[in-house]
Amino acid sequence: MLPYPQIDPVALDLKWIKIHWYGLMYLVGIGGAWLLASRRLNRFDPTWSREKLSDLVFWLSMGVIVGGRLGYVLFYDLHAYLANPTLILEVWKGGMSFHGGFIGVMLAALWFGKRNNKSFFELMDFVAPLVPIGLGAGRIGNFINAELWGKATDVPWAMVFPPFSDPAQLPRHPSQLYQFALEGVALFLILWLYSRKPRPTMAVSGMFALFYGIFRFIVEFVRVPDAQLGYIAFGWLTMGQLLCVPMIVGGIFLIWWAYNRKPTVKAAV
């Protein structure tokens, strides 16, 4: 087995406020996305200023945070949050849904695009290669929090997570690191390299939806489902997999549509 590093989830305790690693990972994701977006800004729209890019990143970040939290509430534990609504504000304890954040980003992009004369898919194609930075950072945050670990296993890289997280103290798949490698590193490389050449509108968005859906669907087979939900069907289907099905189907459709309609080929973003 590999030893779990036992990192304190609190990065900095100032007595009057505690700064958690999980929250810092959001700053890493947002800051990294802004830096990379600024490098590609001229190819996306030479008329855009850094201030407008900052506005875009801000509103998309709000979509991630608000959508991610509400998505977790609606998809994963609605009963508990209805019983105690104040729990919704305790974001430092985790409880964020990628799929909810994805919906939040789409709504924010739709709103921002209408205000700035950009189509929904123009913005989504520009943003898609940046998203894996935040996804990868978020999975590191999950790992530090010792949450969302995998099923018991005897693989050489299994880990025993702290007793407060896993009372059973079983060697488990470090599924957070699998997701970091796939949703963060691999997805970033796929999208970054693919988007370097001119692609028809919607193609980059389709690639994001397709590969994220595939990667997440695969990892869910070795990840323990949320205790309050368990398996949705068949003794193996999780909520995460169920929510990935429309992403995979939608991604395939967008790629097909992008290359089979009469697209306007745009510069790489």
Side-chain angles (χ1 to χ4, degrees):
M1 293 186 299
L2 294 178
Y4 179 74
Q6 298 283 357
I7 302 172
D8 189 339
V10 178
L12 186 61
D13 188 348
L14 301 177
K15 304 303 180 183
W16 55 277
I17 188 173
K18 293 182 179 181
I19 300 175
H20 291 247
W21 283 109
Y22 188 78
L24 290 177
M25 292 301 102
Y26 275 80
L27 294 180
V28 170
I30 294 169
W34 186 89
L35 287 173
L36 290 178
S38 65
R39 290 184 57 187
R40 289 190 166 192
L41 185 58
N42 285 336
R43 283 181 285 171
F44 173 62
D45 190 333
T47 67
W48 270 33
S49 65
R50 294 294 181 92
E51 289 73 21
K52 183 168 287 189
L53 174 62
S54 296
D55 289 343
L56 172 64
V57 172
F58 172 80
W59 288 111
L60 294 182
S61 300
M62 291 301 100
V64 169
I65 295 169
V66 176
R69 189 58 172 170
L70 293 180
Y72 183 83
V73 170
L74 293 173
F75 299 146
Y76 290 95
D77 208 1
L78 181 59
H79 177 75
Y81 289 97
L82 288 177
N84 188 2
T86 60
L87 293 176
I88 296 175
L89 302 177
E90 297 181 3
V91 295
W92 58 88
K93 294 183 178 180
M96 299 288 283
S97 163
F98 162 79
H99 296 91
F102 184 53
I103 294 171
V105 165
M106 289 194 293
L107 292 175
L110 184 63
W111 174 82
F112 194 87
K114 287 184 177 180
R115 292 174 60 91
N116 291 275
N117 299 314
K118 291 291 183 184
S119 73
F120 171 74
F121 281 110
E122 281 182 299
L123 285 179
M124 293 301 289
D125 284 352
F126 176 54
V127 168
L130 315 175
V131 175
I133 302 170
L135 293 177
R139 294 310 178 191
I140 294 298
N142 293 144
F143 182 71
I144 293 173
N145 279 355
E147 61 189 2
L148 306 183
W149 27 254
K151 296 177 181 178
T153 181
D154 60 358
V155 297
W157 55 88
M159 292 184 181
V160 176
F161 290 89
F164 73 84
S165 174
D166 178 23
Q169 291 293 276
L170 298 173
R172 297 183 179 276
H173 285 285
S175 55
Q176 314 97 322
L177 300 183
Y178 300 168
Q179 291 186 267
F180 164 75
L182 291 174
E183 299 169 11
V185 178
L187 187 59
F188 174 80
L189 291 175
I190 290 170
L191 295 176
W192 193 258
L193 295 174
Y194 179 75
S195 62
R196 290 180 67 182
K197 295 182 178 180
R199 306 294 179 183
T201 303
M202 297 185 296
V204 178
S205 298
M207 290 285 285
F208 172 84
L210 173 62
F211 280 98
Y212 176 87
I214 290 173
F215 291 154
R216 175 69 180 271
F217 198 95
I218 291 171
V219 175
E220 288 283 325
F221 282 113
V222 297
R223 179 173 144 178
V224 173
D226 293 75
Q228 69 275 13
L229 288 179
Y231 293 110
I232 303 300
F234 314 123
W236 58 265
L237 183 68
T238 67
M239 177 60 77
Q241 288 174 318
L242 184 64
L243 294 172
C244 281
V245 171
M247 290 192 70
I248 295 171
V249 174
I252 293 171
F253 174 74
L254 286 177
I255 295 169
W256 174 85
W257 191 14
Y259 282 100
N260 286 276
R261 68 189 185 110
K262 294 181 180 179
T264 300
V265 177
K266 300 185 68 64
V269 295

